[in-house]
């Protein structure tokens, strides 16, 4: 399913957090959102999943205009700050979210076993989340996001605090999920992860300053590093105001 943003704007009070963003994320691709802290990545994701309504413009996931309750089953979301229940076990958290998606009991149990294995938490199934490490919480949060096999998966900085080996394994999972036809939108700061993506959207001060294939974007830099893209953007911005 593709995601189409048409002149989307969102303000918080006086602050224009998303400024006239207009682009389409292609079905079946991995698109990364890149931008400095506070640039609007999380806000953009919240608009795309329908957790926020835009002030101006429209967001469509497939044919459906967001926000839309009917899209809940098609969308998976891994928030930047996990929304886990600390006093429940990993399994109970998964059962809770599974009940929202109305998966049958038997199918749900089988799927829980599957996703826990995917994120390497099989041994921790009965443990209380309160006693999880940061990385374990991230992994459980990912398991929840993919529990109902969504068509579109949103991941807000999914591998922060995760060690390189597990990060590799998680990205292998993303690639597998993508190969099954799922569209993935991921915000990240990690260069290695950018290289895993098909296309990147550069967000700067709430604006989309570039949207292209990762290869094309990196070709514009001298040393092939994403940071350079923002230096270029910063210079252009200074130029515009001069
Ligand atoms: N609920 C809110 N109320 C008021 N302001 C908000 C709210 N959510 C976000 N903002 C503001 O909107 C801007 C964009 O925030 P956002 O969280 O989208 O940035 P981000 O790119 O995800 O940053 P980070 O990389 O630190 O996660 C920030 O200036 C932030 O203060
Ligand atoms: Mg954020």
């Amino acid at each position: 399913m593709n995601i189409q943003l048409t002149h989307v704007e969102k303000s918080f009070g006086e602050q224009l957090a998303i400024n006239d963003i207009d682009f389409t994320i292609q079905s079946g691709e991995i698109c990364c959102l890149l931008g400095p802290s506070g640039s609007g990545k999380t806000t953009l994701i919240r608009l795309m999943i329908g957790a926020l309504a835009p002030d101006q413009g429209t967001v469509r996931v497939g044919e459906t205009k967001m926000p839309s309750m009917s899209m809940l089953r098609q969308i998976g979301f891994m928030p930047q700050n996990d929304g886990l229940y600390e006093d429940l076990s990993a399994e109970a958290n998964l059962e809770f979210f599974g009940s929202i998606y109305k998966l049958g009991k038997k199918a749900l149990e089988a799927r829980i076993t599957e996703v826990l294995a995917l994120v390497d938490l099989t041994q921790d199934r009965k443990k209380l989340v309160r006693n999880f490490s940061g990385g374990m919480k991230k992994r459980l949060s990912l398991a929840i996001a993919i529990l109902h096999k969504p068509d579109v998966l949103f991941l807000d900085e999914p591998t922060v605090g995760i060690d390189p080996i597990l990060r590799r394994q998680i990205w292998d999972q993303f690639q597998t999920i993508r190969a099954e036809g799922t569209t993935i939108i991921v915000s990240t700061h990690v260069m290695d992860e950018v290289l895993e993506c098909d296309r990147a959207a550069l967000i700067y001060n709430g604006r989309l300053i570039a949207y292209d294939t990762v290869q094309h974007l990196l070709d514009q830099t001298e040393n092939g590093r994403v940071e350079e893209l923002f230096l270029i953007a910063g210079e252009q911005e200074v130029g515009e105001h001069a």
Side-chain angles (χ1 to χ4, degrees), residues 12 15 17 36-43 80 157 189:
F12 297 109
Q15 192 197 353
S37 181
S39 57
K41 302 179 298 296
T42 297
T43 305
Q80 186 168 9
E157 303 197 22
H189 291 284

Side-chain angles (χ1 to χ4, degrees), residues 59-72:
V59 177
R60 280 178 198 282
V61 177
E63 299 294 308
T64 310
K65 187 173 167 190
M66 304 300 286
S68 162
M69 284 295 282
S70 68
M71 291 306 289
L72 267 184

Side-chain angles (χ1 to χ4, degrees), residues 125-136:
R125 184 169 180 144
K126 304 280 181 191
K127 241 185 230 167
L128 292 186
V129 169
R130 177 173 352 116
N131 301 326
F132 272 24
S133 71
M136 288 164 79

Side-chain angles (χ1 to χ4, degrees), residues 47-176:
L47 287 160
M48 290 192 278
I49 66 170
L52 280 177
D55 299 331
Q56 299 288 333
T58 51
V59 177
R60 280 178 198 282
V61 177
E63 299 294 308
T64 310
K65 187 173 167 190
M66 304 300 286
S68 162
M69 284 295 282
S70 68
M71 291 306 289
L72 267 184
R73 288 191 70 140
Q74 270 104 300
I75 289 176
F77 173 47
M78 179 177 170
Q80 186 168 9
N81 304 307
D82 63 65
L84 302 169
Y85 293 95
E86 299 263 325
D87 294 328
L88 296 181
S89 67
E91 179 180 57
N93 268 277
L94 284 156
E95 283 167 349
F96 171 78
F97 286 98
S99 70
I100 292 179
Y101 300 125
K102 300 194 169 63
L103 302 178
K105 197 168 165 28
K106 261 239 166 95
L108 178 59
E109 287 310 308
R111 182 65 182 154
I112 286 176
T113 302
E114 209 170 88
V115 292
L116 283 173
L118 283 181
V119 298
D120 201 16
L121 285 177
T122 302
Q123 306 299 321
D124 306 290
R125 184 169 180 144
K126 304 280 181 191
K127 241 185 230 167
L128 292 186
V129 169
R130 177 173 352 116
N131 301 326
F132 272 24
S133 71
M136 288 164 79
K137 287 183 191 173
K138 277 275 177 201
R139 281 140 62 197
L140 179 57
S141 200
L142 173 62
I144 290 168
I146 61 174
L147 186 63
H148 57 303
K149 300 187 178 171
D151 295 326
V152 188
L153 182 57
F154 293 91
L155 307 160
D156 199 354
E157 303 197 22
T159 59
V160 174
I162 287 183
D163 66 81
I165 294 171
L166 188 62
R167 191 195 298 158
R168 182 63 259 158
Q169 290 171 7
I170 287 181
W171 269 93
D172 288 343
Q173 287 311 321
F174 295 164
Q175 294 294 2
T176 305

